[in-house]
Amino acid sequence: MKYFLGIDAGTSGIKAMIIDETGKISGIGYHECDVVTPNPGWAEQDPLVWWDACSRAVKLAVEKSGHGKEVASIGFSGQMQGSTLMDKNMNPIGNCMIWLDQRAEEEVHDIEKLISEREMLDTTANFCLNSFWAPKLLWVRKNNPAAYERIHTVLFTKDYLRYRMTGEVATEVSDASLSFLMDVPNRKWADNIFDKLSISRDIVPQRLVESQEVVGQLLADIAAEWGLCAGIPVVAGGGDQPAGGVGTGIVKSGVIGATIGTSGVVFGCTDEPLIDTKKRALMTMAHSVPDKWCFLGLVLTAGGSFKWVRDVLFADKKAAMAAQGKDIYDYMTELAAQSSPGSEGLTFLPYFNGEKTPISDPNARATFFGLSYRHGLGDMCRSVMEGVTFALRDTIEICREFGIDVNEVRANGGGAKSELWRQMQADIYNANVLTMNMEEGPAAGGAIMAAVGSGHFDSIEEACGELVKVASVTEPIAENVKRYNDYYGSYRELYPVLRDMYGKQAGIVEKYL
């Protein structure tokens, strides 16, 4: 029996999962990571903390599995759009500006002056967003030129971890798609964009490969520490959403998934790049499946919103329940279940650190609307869950605009584990919500790519056909669909009313910092 290790470098923490050649999970390890917010709109993480968390997670997975010496290869998933700046000695230059970071908005406008919309879309398949590599690099060049001059290369999260494991520098097409420095339709670096922005082509990894390709072998000292065999192949892996697509079988055109993790994502597979010309921050990428593309709509703080409720409104309860070995999220969900669909008019906008799809506004902030004396903690919990799901529905509606028939959505992430949240999604999307046999989609996707890269399967599609199966189906409830359609209409009207006030409030905050 062969085993395969998938490592998911998420925002909240690093997860390691070992599966066997039948897809059965053999062992899982996890270790948390914190986000640092030194200024409003900034979001950073320390790469050295990632490495420590990765080591802890892998060792725990190996311990639980008992099959470390039989692991045949390693694959990756990782949070996308983070800019990990490395010096000539391949040490990080400060913290990584992660995908949540909003600081480079001015640089987006600078880029829009240098590159026409037509050239942007023809080359990168995307409008520029402040989370991409290009504007972040311009921000560093403008605001910290000494650091910029020290940059030898820039890496995504998973690529940094893989470098530490193998000593090899590389990246792959799915992550690179959201650098704004890649020719997405042709799956190569975009020389015209580097030239227009006066960014050296040498600043990015020179090896740009497909996700399942082997890019190095596990170093002997790391293997010894983790209980694995030295020299086993390490594949490039993919960004967390394309990797999650692999882990949930979204490898054919028209299949849609929804993930509720720290962020929230609606993800789909296409045969050609799907390009939205309406500037709604629908992101198009090369898929982790060769010759396929994919798209995603992003809610910046989805499960992150529910985590804020946990940490702020249930801090004491969280500690007490943890001491009893109980999960505070289960308690919060039980409270939410006691509230009715629509939370009796309490609506939540999940914009803790700005928002991406479809409004792309770094100044937007989380808002409760309609709070009354009749509302309690259960209503607030349910409202947050509903608000996150309404935000995901925004992308579902864009899919329908493009003629994609969304009758089935594959759920992933922490939200997929909650029966209440699955039902809520089915009712709000008006679609069947499916879960798959491997709950940890991104980590599973990394392991599946490892299995393909090591030659156990001939293709990702073949591997998914063998390993990924439907575990459950949640159907929409007609009465709830009607009610949620009404509340979703109200939800959609709130942001346009508040947009200017968000900007004004951000200006006041900046004034008194």
Side-chain angles (χ1 to χ4, degrees), residues 78-330:
Q79 55 168 300
M80 304 182 74
Q81 306 177 67
S83 300
T84 311
L85 310 180
M86 308 292 289
D87 66 18
K88 64 181 180 180
N89 297 315
M90 292 303 290
N91 293 316
I93 303 170
N95 288 339
C96 170
M97 295 175 284
I98 67 170
W99 57 275
L100 262 173
D101 196 283
Q102 301 281 346
R103 76 185 72 181
E105 188 67 16
E106 184 177 317
E107 286 66 33
V108 170
H109 299 312
D110 293 340
I111 289 171
E112 290 171 341
K113 295 173 184 175
L114 295 169
I115 304 173
S116 69
E117 287 189 2
R118 186 71 271 153
E119 186 174 11
M120 280 187 191
L121 296 179
D122 287 347
T123 304
T124 73
N126 291 284
F127 289 104
C128 189
L129 299 176
N130 58 13
S131 50
F132 292 169
W133 268 7
K136 286 174 177 171
L137 288 170
L138 295 187
W139 185 93
V140 175
R141 188 166 71 189
K142 181 190 297 182
N143 294 279
N144 193 351
Y148 188 84
E149 289 299 316
R150 292 174 58 204
I151 300 173
H152 174 71
T153 192
V154 58
L155 298 175
F156 295 105
T157 305
K158 72 179 193 322
D159 299 332
Y160 171 79
L161 295 176
R162 194 181 56 250
Y163 165 74
R164 292 289 302 264
M165 294 178 202
T166 66
E168 300 289 338
V169 176
T171 194
E172 49 70 49
V173 294
S174 70
D175 245 341
S177 295
L178 300 187
S179 65
F180 203 73
L181 296 169
M182 179 176 147
D183 179 344
V184 172
N186 294 301
R187 304 167 92 94
K188 64 181 184 178
W189 291 121
D191 290 337
N192 58 317
I193 303 297
F194 285 99
D195 290 343
K196 289 284 180 70
L197 303 182
S198 299
I199 294 174
S200 171
R201 174 76 162 65
D202 295 335
I203 208 170
V204 297
Q206 301 308 293
R207 294 177 69 188
L208 177 62
V209 301
E210 295 291 335
S211 297
Q212 82 282 2
E213 290 188 39
V214 174
V215 293
Q217 287 75 41
L218 186 64
L219 296 170
D221 58 336
I222 305 300
E225 180 185 352
W226 290 356
L228 303 174
C229 290
I232 59 174
V234 181
V235 306
D240 55 0
Q241 298 310 316
V246 172
T248 50
I250 304 174
V251 296
K252 295 180 180 179
S253 182
V255 183
I256 301 294
T259 299
I260 299 176
T262 302
S263 62
V265 171
V266 171
F267 177 89
C269 178
T270 58
D271 292 327
E272 300 290 342
L274 185 153
I275 299 174
D276 181 31
T277 61
K278 296 183 179 180
K279 278 196 167 183
R280 292 178 291 190
L282 187 76
M283 289 169 260
T284 293
M285 300 165 287
H287 202 334
S288 285
V289 184
D291 300 320
K292 296 289 184 183
W293 282 259
C294 55
F295 64 87
L296 67 85
L298 175 61
V299 177
L300 287 177
T301 46
S305 296
F306 210 44
K307 181 178 183 292
W308 178 89
V309 174
R310 180 198 74 176
D311 294 342
V312 174
L313 300 183
F314 292 91
D316 293 342
K317 192 76 175 178
K318 171 189 170 185
M321 294 194 73
Q324 300 172 33
K326 297 180 180 179
D327 189 343
I328 185 63
Y329 283 125
D330 291 339

Side-chain angles (χ1 to χ4, degrees), residues 473-510:
V473 179
T474 302
E475 298 180 352
I477 299 169
E479 180 183 342
N480 292 351
V481 170
K482 183 177 183 301
R483 185 184 297 198
Y484 276 130
N485 278 337
D486 288 340
Y487 280 119
Y488 177 67
S490 296
Y491 170 89
R492 287 290 296 268
E493 292 182 31
L494 284 172
Y495 171 74
V497 172
L498 293 170
R499 178 176 53 220
D500 291 344
M501 280 303 303
Y502 283 138
K504 181 178 180 180
Q505 194 82 332
I508 295 172
V509 171
E510 184 72 22

Side-chain angles (χ1 to χ4, degrees), residues 340-347 369-371 375 383 487:
S340 61
S343 305
E344 200 174 306
L346 180 58
T347 301
F369 172 80
L371 193 62
H375 292 114
S383 176
Y487 280 119

Side-chain angles (χ1 to χ4, degrees), residues 43-58:
E44 303 176 351
Q45 287 184 315
D46 183 348
L48 301 181
V49 171
W50 292 337
W51 179 246
D52 178 66
C54 180
S55 295
R56 291 170 183 262
V58 171

